């Protein structure tokens, strides 16, 4: 069976457009889609050409979260259900850990696990049709703490309470005012590319290091991640890119970064 996660490489491999292609379920993901999405983003860690990733959904919607019908089948077996949940969390972690800027380009619904996916991206842009909801109170569930932490850091505790307690849909302009959406464009993918354009020519090791630091600050894992942060900082300090930037500064020219 063909993957329902599509990757379009652009700009000689510097940009990846990742599309969730399950429009019959408003791009809600089943186990195979979560696994494929996880593997795509894990693969970005080995791609030295990549400078920007955009995550979007096919045919008018971003992502309606987890495919409830598919997950309901797994609930009959606790071991299978736990394995299913673990793959979802691995997918979220892979999106967040990608070493390049990741921008969610949203149309239509961004619900539940779809909102979690968007939260794992560095930035979120949308058009006027984007609608965000975390409907755990309508489903009798409790939102994973790590996702709740990310949401409350973006929009504040008071608004997070309202979003979770009501489960209501929040329109694009309200989500932008709250801080969930960074910018609104007529065409979200083109908008995401414009939003990320100013990041693509900067030093990849620097961006990867800053992203690792900010993720650790956000999650409260600075101590656990200290060795990884230091190793990446040392790599940047000794890199060809740093030497090139120093020479370019002295020569009053723009540096060209290669990621090593």
């Amino acid at each position: 069976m063909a993957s329902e996660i599509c990757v379009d490489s652009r700009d000689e491999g510097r940009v990846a457009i990742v599309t969730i292609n399950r429009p019959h379920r408003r791009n809600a993901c089943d186990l195979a889609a979560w696994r494929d999405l996880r593997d795509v983003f894990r693969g970005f860690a080995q791609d030295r050409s990549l400078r920007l990733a955009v995550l979007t959904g096919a045919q008018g919607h971003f992502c309606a979260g987890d495919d409830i019908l598919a997950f309901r089948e797994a609930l009959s077996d606790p071991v299978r259900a736990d394995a299913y949940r673990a793959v979802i969390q691995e997918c979220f972690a892979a999106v967040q850990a990608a070493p390049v800027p990741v921008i969610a380009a949203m149309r239509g619904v961004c619900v539940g696990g779809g909102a979690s996916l968007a939260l794992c991206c560095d930035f979120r842009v949308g058009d006027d049709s984007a609608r965000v909801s975390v409907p755990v109170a309508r489903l009798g569930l409790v939102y994973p703490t790590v996702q709740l932490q990310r949401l409350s850091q973006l929009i504040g505790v008071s608004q997070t309470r309202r979003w979770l307690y009501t489960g209501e849909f929040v329109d694009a302009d309200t989500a932008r005012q709250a801080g969930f959406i960074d910018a609104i464009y007529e065409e979200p993918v083109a908008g995401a590319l414009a939003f990320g354009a100013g990041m693509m020519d900067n030093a990849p090791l620097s961006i990867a290091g800053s992203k690792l630091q900010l993720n650790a600050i956000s999650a409260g894992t600075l101590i656990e991640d200290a060795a990884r942060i230091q190793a990446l900082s040392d790599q940047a300090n000794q890199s060809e890119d740093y030497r090139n930037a120093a020479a370019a500064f002295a020569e009053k020219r723009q540096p060209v970064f290669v990621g090593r």
Side-chain angles (χ1 to χ4, degrees):
M1 185 178 188
S3 173
E4 293 172 311
I5 306 300
C6 305
V7 183
D8 177 18
S9 180
R10 300 187 186 179
D11 193 7
E12 298 181 339
R14 284 162 44 90
V15 176
I17 311 294
V18 182
T19 303
I20 304 169
N21 188 26
R22 305 190 80 237
H24 58 291
R25 300 293 295 158
R26 291 190 173 185
N27 298 319
C29 293
D30 62 3
L31 180 60
W34 289 121
R35 185 184 294 117
D36 289 347
L37 191 59
R38 175 199 66 188
D39 293 347
V40 164
F41 275 88
R42 282 180 173 176
F44 290 160
Q46 282 74 51
D47 189 345
R48 288 198 169 190
S49 299
L50 191 65
R51 296 292 182 268
L52 180 72
V54 175
L55 176 61
T56 193
Q59 298 187 30
H61 293 287
F62 178 67
C63 178
D66 185 39
D67 188 326
I68 294 175
L69 297 180
F71 182 63
R72 187 169 63 185
E73 293 181 6
L75 286 176
S76 60
D77 179 353
V79 174
R80 184 179 166 202
D82 286 346
Y84 193 120
R85 292 189 188 97
V87 170
I88 296 175
Q89 295 306 315
E90 289 167 2
C91 177
F92 293 157
V95 172
Q96 189 178 35
V100 298
V102 181
I103 304 176
M106 302 184 297
R107 288 187 188 273
V109 297
C110 174
V111 178
S116 296
L117 268 179
L119 284 167
C120 291
C121 298
D122 296 284
F123 307 99
R124 289 145 296 280
V125 305
D127 69 2
D128 289 335
S129 74
R131 296 173 293 145
V132 184
S133 176
V134 187
V136 287
R138 295 176 181 265
L139 296 172
L141 301 173
V142 176
Y143 205 42
T145 301
V146 64
Q147 308 301 343
L148 189 59
Q149 183 178 30
R150 291 172 183 146
L151 181 60
S152 61
Q153 287 170 342
L154 269 185
I155 69 172
V157 172
S158 180
Q159 289 195 92
T160 298
R161 291 182 192 276
R162 180 176 178 85
W163 286 25
L164 265 70
Y165 295 178
T166 66
E168 64 188 4
F169 274 100
V170 179
D171 64 41
D173 189 59
T174 302
R176 183 189 60 78
Q177 292 180 42
F180 185 89
I181 291 178
D182 293 285
I184 295 177
Y185 295 93
E186 184 175 343
E187 206 299 302
V189 171
L193 295 174
F195 190 95
M199 309 171 193
M200 291 179 57
D201 291 330
N202 290 331
L205 291 175
S206 176
I207 289 175
S210 294
K211 185 167 181 175
L212 181 59
Q213 289 172 312
L214 290 166
N215 286 345
I217 290 169
S218 176
T221 58
L222 277 171
I223 294 176
E224 295 89 332
D225 292 331
R228 292 176 60 211
I229 292 170
Q230 188 60 54
L232 193 48
S233 178
D234 291 344
Q235 183 183 357
N237 290 341
Q238 298 161 14
S239 68
E240 178 182 333
D241 278 350
Y242 173 69
R243 294 191 296 272
N244 179 32
F249 179 81
E251 297 165 9
K252 295 183 172 58
R253 60 173 173 82
Q254 290 293 319
V256 177
F257 296 112
V258 295
R260 58 178 183 270

